Amino acid sequence: MSMDLDSVSMAPAAQREVTNATILCCNCGAPIDGTVSAGALCYDCIKLTIDVSQGIQREGTLHQCRDCDRWLSPPNQWVVAQPESRELLALCLRKLRGLNKVRIIDASFIWTEPHSRRIKLKLTIQQEAFQGTILQQTFEVEFVQANQQCPDCQKSFTHNTWRAVVQVRQKVQHKRTFLYLEQLILKHGAHRDAINIKEIHDGIDFFFSARNHAEKFVDFLGSVVPMKSKKSQELISMNVHTSEKTYKFAFSCEIVPICKDDLVALPIKLAKQIGNLFPLALCYRVGTAVNLLDPNTLQTAEVATPIYWRAPFTPIADIPQLVEFIVMDIEITGLTKGRFVLADCTVARAADLGVNDTTYFCRTHLGALLNPGDSVMGYLLAGTQFNNTEFEEIENSKTYKSAIPDVVLVKKHYPRRKKAAGQKRNWKLKRMAKEESEMLPRKQDQERLERDFELFLRDVEEDEELRQTMQLYKAQQEANANDMEMETDDEDDEGPQIPMDQLLDEFEEMNMHDAE
């Protein structure tokens, strides 16, 4: 009897020692450390019963502008973010409510079909459930892509919302300069801030939503073409209480009316100032300045934009006035300068062959390209009357009158028997999206535009130096029948061909823009 009492008295003491060290989970009965655990639950039961992600948004909506592909970031900011990029991930996390109460351990995208318009995230978070007990949980969040037009794109589709316009003009009869300028703008992406582009008879208008965008575009124009600009402003509205004023700004940009391959008659005083150049010169390149060449001596000179506008001059002959000649005889003199080689040449008009025996002797800078029997384009000065004051001064000058040539050769001519405006090429140029005029162009104007574009494409094919300043793309190959027809045309076409290694793929350009 006494032993039973002792065993009973000893049992509570042993139980008290177990209680101080461990306790049993109230849910599953597993022994747990009572000094650490709170709530009398084991770690597994805490994970099953407590949700640390409670209160965190599991679904959301992302607004994207389908015109500019930008995303709406609260409260009212539009940001650029590529699919599955860090910028898009940060935007998604900012959209979720309740994340500020937990610690984010990991966040990643879950692949979804592009056409599903769903963006899924996999999040891993940590939170302290009880004192000394930290829980980690992984869950998924799904966003739905919704379309919403940004304010900038809304302005581009609304009339009279621009704040600045850049009016680019050139007083010439063709569009060759604007075609070249268009390629430079596309290459450097200078038109990205423009909300509208409108082509008119003698130039192009670029509309912007802010003045600084227009000023940036004017600076770009000044870095690629010789031009002068003038700024004007118009008051739209004014708040008499706060004195806040709203203006519209107009930038008038006039490009020098001289193009490549134009024949110019310089003022004699200006010709002496730029290196005593012969006043009758050929324009062989137009960059930030006008580059002139004397075909008789290969002497070159550069007329800067400020110098030109102090003493402006116009060409006495341009591309439409070129005449085709046939090389009868040519002799290299040995003088070279860069890609120019001086030669004595005897030519005859192609229209005179079989009619008369009239030939012309001249010096040319095309000695490296011409051979007897080749066709060459040039200006016929003998017997031609020019209504130009500077040219009359040259004719009346005792110093320069005897040096005026009968013919000035400009470039080699490649016969294109089957070449037409719609002829297939293995390359193409991109064009800017311009607003179409309400009135369709007349038939003769449309033909003139197509002719100017065809002449520009031929210049690109023939001038390698010109090609290096723009981006050319591979043309998409069509059916085999069209390919066979194109190969036949190439065999009949004696014009130069552009190597395929100089052409870009369109997806390569997209990758380059993404990298930028």
Side-chain angles (χ1 to χ4, degrees), residues 182-203:
E182 179 182 12
Q183 298 304 316
L184 294 178
I185 293 174
L186 289 172
K187 179 179 180 180
H188 298 280
H191 64 302
R192 294 179 180 175
D193 296 328
I195 60 176
N196 192 17
I197 302 174
K198 186 176 182 180
E199 185 174 9
I200 61 176
H201 177 67
D202 57 348

Side-chain angles (χ1 to χ4, degrees), residues 16-248:
R16 283 195 300 271
E17 292 181 2
V18 173
T19 303
N20 293 335
T22 60
I23 61 175
L24 300 180
C25 175
C26 63
N27 191 15
C28 63
I32 56 177
D33 189 357
T35 61
V36 177
S37 178
L41 292 173
C42 65
Y43 186 73
D44 294 334
C45 292
I46 292 176
K47 292 194 297 182
L48 294 176
T49 56
I50 298 179
D51 184 9
V52 295
S53 66
Q54 186 176 4
I56 299 177
Q57 186 178 356
R58 298 298 183 94
E59 295 180 352
T61 303
L62 292 177
H63 297 279
Q64 184 185 26
C65 178
R66 66 171 64 189
D67 297 315
C68 62
D69 294 334
R70 292 188 299 175
W71 301 85
L72 176 60
S73 178
N76 192 21
Q77 183 181 3
W78 293 84
V79 298
V80 178
Q82 300 296 327
E84 298 190 2
S85 62
R86 298 178 60 182
E87 294 79 7
L88 184 58
L89 181 61
L91 176 62
C92 295
L93 295 179
R94 286 196 298 268
K95 293 279 290 185
L96 295 179
R97 296 189 301 269
L99 280 182
N100 57 341
K101 300 179 182 180
V102 298
R103 180 183 179 186
I104 301 176
I105 302 301
D106 186 28
S108 60
F109 287 97
I110 301 176
W111 186 86
T112 56
E113 291 285 350
H115 63 271
S116 65
R117 305 191 64 80
R118 297 291 187 275
I119 297 178
K120 292 185 177 181
L121 299 182
K122 181 180 180 181
L123 301 180
T124 302
I125 61 174
Q126 284 184 352
Q127 188 182 25
E128 186 176 15
F130 301 102
Q131 184 177 2
T133 304
I134 299 178
L135 294 182
Q136 179 172 313
Q137 186 174 348
T138 301
F139 60 97
E140 296 181 1
V141 179
E142 181 177 337
F143 291 92
V144 179
Q145 293 180 237
N147 293 325
Q148 180 177 338
Q149 200 172 40
C150 65
D152 295 337
C153 293
Q154 289 177 1
K155 292 181 180 180
S156 65
F157 286 92
T158 307
H159 296 287
N160 303 323
T161 58
W162 55 271
R163 287 294 175 264
V165 58
V166 179
Q167 300 170 339
V168 186
R169 301 290 185 269
Q170 188 185 34
K171 298 178 181 178
V172 293
Q173 299 298 324
H174 54 80
K175 293 283 187 178
R176 294 172 60 234
T177 301
F178 290 103
L179 292 173
Y180 175 63
L181 181 61
E182 179 182 12
Q183 298 304 316
L184 294 178
I185 293 174
L186 289 172
K187 179 179 180 180
H188 298 280
H191 64 302
R192 294 179 180 175
D193 296 328
I195 60 176
N196 192 17
I197 302 174
K198 186 176 182 180
E199 185 174 9
I200 61 176
H201 177 67
D202 57 348
I204 305 177
D205 291 343
F206 296 86
F207 298 90
F208 298 90
S209 59
R211 182 183 64 176
N212 57 340
H213 293 163
E215 292 176 344
K216 179 180 177 182
F217 186 76
V218 172
D219 293 339
F220 169 78
L221 293 180
S223 65
V224 294
V225 292
M227 64 95 184
K228 66 175 181 179
S229 61
K230 183 179 179 181
K231 175 185 173 184
S232 61
Q233 61 185 23
E234 178 187 0
L235 180 64
I236 301 176
S237 61
M238 182 180 66
N239 191 334
V240 295
H241 301 287
T242 61
S243 298
E244 293 182 357
K245 302 178 181 179
T246 303
Y247 291 93
K248 276 189 175 182

Side-chain angles (χ1 to χ4, degrees), residues 326-332 343-348 359-362 364 370-374 409:
I326 303 298
V327 179
M328 310 302 294
D329 187 20
I330 187 169
E331 182 180 355
I332 306 296
D344 294 333
C345 187
T346 303
V347 297
T359 59
Y360 304 94
F361 177 81
C362 63
T364 179
L370 299 180
N371 295 305
D374 288 346
L409 301 182

Side-chain angles (χ1 to χ4, degrees), residues 194-442:
I195 60 176
N196 192 17
I197 302 174
K198 186 176 182 180
E199 185 174 9
I200 61 176
H201 177 67
D202 57 348
I204 305 177
D205 291 343
F206 296 86
F207 298 90
F208 298 90
S209 59
R211 182 183 64 176
N212 57 340
H213 293 163
E215 292 176 344
K216 179 180 177 182
F217 186 76
V218 172
D219 293 339
F220 169 78
L221 293 180
S223 65
V224 294
V225 292
M227 64 95 184
K228 66 175 181 179
S229 61
K230 183 179 179 181
K231 175 185 173 184
S232 61
Q233 61 185 23
E234 178 187 0
L235 180 64
I236 301 176
S237 61
M238 182 180 66
N239 191 334
V240 295
H241 301 287
T242 61
S243 298
E244 293 182 357
K245 302 178 181 179
T246 303
Y247 291 93
K248 276 189 175 182
F249 301 89
F251 297 85
S252 177
C253 300
E254 184 178 355
I255 303 177
V256 170
I258 297 177
C259 303
K260 181 176 175 290
D261 299 334
D262 285 353
L263 183 64
V264 298
L266 298 173
I268 296 178
K269 182 179 178 180
L270 177 61
K272 293 180 179 180
Q273 292 176 351
I274 60 176
N276 200 19
L277 182 72
F278 185 70
L280 198 62
L282 187 67
C283 177
Y284 69 95
R285 183 176 59 217
V286 177
T288 54
V290 179
N291 297 271
L292 302 177
L293 168 71
D294 181 8
N296 295 318
T297 61
L298 298 187
Q299 182 183 357
T300 59
E302 183 179 282
V303 180
T305 305
I307 296 177
Y308 174 84
W309 291 114
R310 283 201 296 266
F313 53 91
T314 56
I316 62 174
D318 53 9
I319 289 294
Q321 301 176 13
L322 285 175
V323 180
E324 182 180 358
F325 294 90
I326 303 298
V327 179
M328 310 302 294
D329 187 20
I330 187 169
E331 182 180 355
I332 306 296
T333 61
L335 182 60
T336 61
K337 188 173 185 179
R339 58 190 175 96
F340 303 130
V341 178
L342 189 64
D344 294 333
C345 187
T346 303
V347 297
R349 285 204 313 175
D352 292 343
L353 293 181
V355 179
N356 55 51
D357 298 332
T358 304
T359 59
Y360 304 94
F361 177 81
C362 63
R363 283 193 169 183
T364 179
H365 60 289
L366 304 175
L369 301 176
L370 299 180
N371 295 305
D374 288 346
S375 296
V376 60
M377 305 298 292
Y379 298 110
L380 180 61
L381 304 184
T384 305
Q385 297 293 331
F386 297 103
N387 187 15
N388 187 276
T389 306
E390 286 76 13
F391 185 75
E392 292 177 358
E393 293 181 359
I394 298 173
E395 286 183 322
N396 298 329
S397 174
K398 297 180 180 179
T399 306
Y400 301 113
K401 181 178 180 180
S402 60
I404 298 177
D406 293 334
V407 173
V408 177
L409 301 182
V410 177
K411 60 181 179 178
K412 185 177 180 180
H413 178 61
Y414 298 91
R416 291 171 166 85
R417 287 187 289 271
K418 291 191 177 182
K419 192 68 100 173
Q423 194 257 346
K424 303 298 181 180
R425 288 182 167 91
N426 63 340
W427 59 277
K428 65 178 181 179
L429 294 174
K430 286 192 173 182
R431 305 297 303 273
M432 289 189 305
K434 308 182 188 70
E435 179 184 351
E436 295 183 358
S437 178
E438 297 179 358
M439 297 181 61
L440 296 177
R442 295 179 300 176

